[in-house]
Amino acid sequence: HASRSIMGVTDDFVAWCEAKGADLSKVELRDATGSPVTRPVDLLLGAEHLGRVDAEIRGRGVFARTAMSKGDVVLSVPYAACIGTEGLRCGAGRDRPPPFEGASAAARLAWTLLSLRSDADWAPYLVALPHSLDTPTSGAWSRKEIAELQVADCVAAAAMTLARDARSVPMIVARRDGVDEKDAAADDRLSADWAWALSCVRSRAIELEYPNGATQSFLVPYVDMLNHAHVDPAVAWTSEDAHRRGHLNRDGPPDAAVNHADDDSVAVEDEELKKDLGKVVLIAMRDIAEGEEITISYDEGAPTDPFVLHMGFIGGHNPGDSVEIFKNLRAAAAWFANAFRGENGEVVVDVTKANVVADQFVARERAINGGESHHARLGWGGRVSN
């Protein structure tokens, strides 16, 4: 039959999620290229800036079918529909040992994902995943392109990640079943597939924290379709049981002073670690309007580097990369007047006049961008500095 497609994601995938027990009744997939979420980027950055590229390649997104209030469960996906690693209660991966000794959590999860490429039951999800990822650590960038990042820490991190991945390839090749290890073409294909699996995990996997100290990293279908927002994301992920106890994953573990020893919910969740019980849920962090794109923070408070390295986007202004030097424009004017004096140390800037100019800048910004509550940024996107 003909299946409707939203930028590579078909109705078959949505039906597969629902057949696995996912509750998607309040949401839908759409093309998010023109989403209002991208408009601040369009306003702040000119066409020559990389931020505009983020807006243009945003791709698909998850949107609200109906209005929701802060605290509502937006969607849920059972653990049985998730991909995990050995020992976890996910639908795939629990019985699969690590690909090699000392494998990282990302490598173990990537090995599970790679093993599912020939599993028809998981085909609707794997088809919905990106076929390639344009990131510095996916193998898609040349050394010259990585060097053009021009941020030493970022370039070094990319180089170390690629080197570590290259060292793991021979161990992955050794795990192939029924293929002559001297088959160079097969080795190259497996190497490319391994890079794809690692890239999918690094850009899409989520981690949950539990009161018993356990952490779980896994791939959650549909949840990994949400786009990221540095500021004011609409939802946060957590487990169904943690939500009942009022714990959101974005807030860290519950208060250590609280004694959960006699809490039945902890025992239930410990049991869920071994069974196909429980769900990943998305909780509204604020009111969500009907038709609004539902965004999430992939890594709250993180600087821009990991988003560029592993996910291939900048995402506009990131408060995690900002340092507020001046509280307001008047403070900046006072500093300027004191710092740039005449040859004999005399004050040459008319501070009173500078304050008037500063107030005019602020008034203009507030008139354009939201009234008295708007906080003008010096230099961001050229709005004030120009």
Side-chain angles (χ1 to χ4, degrees):
H1 65 280
S3 179
R4 186 173 62 97
S5 175
I6 303 295
M7 307 193 77
V9 180
T10 67
D11 288 339
D12 293 338
F13 165 68
V14 177
W16 177 87
C17 290
E18 292 176 333
K20 292 280 187 180
D23 182 358
L24 309 176
S25 59
K26 299 177 182 178
V27 298
E28 63 182 348
L29 288 169
R30 292 189 207 163
D31 179 354
T33 305
S35 168
V37 171
T38 66
R39 289 177 188 169
V41 177
D42 290 335
L43 290 171
L44 292 171
L45 301 173
E48 73 278 14
H49 289 282
L50 200 57
R52 177 172 284 274
V53 177
D54 287 340
E56 292 174 350
I57 65 170
R58 191 173 181 83
R60 64 201 177 208
V62 178
F63 290 77
R65 291 179 183 269
T66 183
M68 287 170 271
S69 301
K70 181 178 179 179
D72 286 351
V73 175
V74 174
L75 65 85
S76 65
V77 179
Y79 296 137
C82 301
I83 297 175
T85 56
E86 183 185 24
L88 303 190
R89 75 283 200 189
C90 297
R94 67 174 62 211
D95 299 321
R96 180 163 291 273
F100 49 83
E101 185 177 355
S104 65
R108 295 198 304 271
L109 190 51
W111 179 242
T112 300
L113 177 63
L114 195 59
S115 71
L116 295 175
R117 298 195 83 170
S118 59
D119 190 327
D121 184 48
W122 290 88
Y125 177 47
L126 268 67
V127 168
L129 292 173
H131 300 302
S132 62
L133 290 95
D134 186 10
T135 71
T137 57
S138 68
W141 288 33
S142 67
R143 291 183 178 180
K144 180 179 179 181
E145 288 171 329
I146 293 174
E148 289 173 356
L149 290 170
Q150 299 185 44
V151 178
D153 288 348
C154 210
V155 173
M160 288 188 290
T161 299
L162 290 169
R164 183 171 62 248
D165 293 350
R167 289 194 297 270
S168 70
V169 169
M171 292 181 281
I172 293 298
V173 168
R175 293 295 304 269
R176 285 190 292 114
D177 296 324
V179 178
D180 184 354
E181 291 191 17
K182 296 181 180 181
D183 186 341
D187 291 352
D188 288 344
R189 287 194 299 271
L190 184 57
S191 177
D193 289 344
W194 179 237
W196 167 83
L198 285 169
S199 296
C200 283
V201 167
R202 289 168 180 156
S203 62
R204 311 179 80 81
I206 72 168
E207 183 175 88
L208 292 178
E209 300 172 355
Y210 297 97
N212 67 350
T215 58
Q216 307 288 314
S217 295
F218 41 86
L219 294 167
V220 185
Y222 210 97
V223 169
D224 61 7
M225 303 286 177
L226 273 75
N227 285 317
H228 168 82
H230 290 313
V231 181
D232 194 28
V235 298
W237 67 68
T238 189
S239 70
E240 183 180 44
D241 185 68
H243 174 54
R244 287 196 295 266
R245 290 180 283 105
H247 167 53
L248 284 176
N249 198 68
R250 60 176 284 171
D251 297 327
D255 188 346
V258 178
N259 183 1
H260 292 281
D262 298 323
D263 188 345
D264 290 339
S265 66
V266 175
V268 169
E269 190 152 39
D270 286 343
E271 190 64 22
E272 286 179 358
L273 295 175
K274 304 174 183 177
K275 295 183 178 181
D276 287 329
L277 301 174
K279 301 175 182 179
V280 176
V281 295
L282 296 186
I283 307 302
M285 300 302 296
R286 54 174 174 78
D287 292 346
I288 301 173
E290 180 180 352
E292 178 183 348
E293 183 181 2
I294 301 172
T295 56
I296 198 166
S297 174
Y298 294 166
D299 191 357
E300 189 171 11
T304 300
D305 288 14
F307 297 103
V308 173
L309 287 173
H310 303 307
M311 304 171 201
F313 66 83
I314 289 176
H317 175 67
N318 182 354
D321 284 334
S322 294
V323 175
E324 187 171 60
I325 300 174
F326 304 110
K327 296 300 294 183
N328 52 52
L329 286 175
R330 281 194 167 215
W335 172 85
F336 189 89
N338 185 61
F340 296 93
R341 294 172 176 262
E343 292 182 359
N344 298 318
E346 72 276 15
V347 175
V348 296
V349 175
D350 185 336
V351 178
T352 301
K353 182 177 180 180
N355 283 337
V356 171
V357 174
D359 291 343
Q360 289 174 342
F361 271 124
V362 172
R364 185 185 69 177
E365 283 296 293
R366 287 176 172 171
I368 296 173
N369 295 291
E372 292 298 316
S373 63
H374 177 70
H375 179 64
R377 290 187 178 277
L378 280 71
W380 171 242
R383 291 190 337 207
V384 175
S385 59
N386 284 349

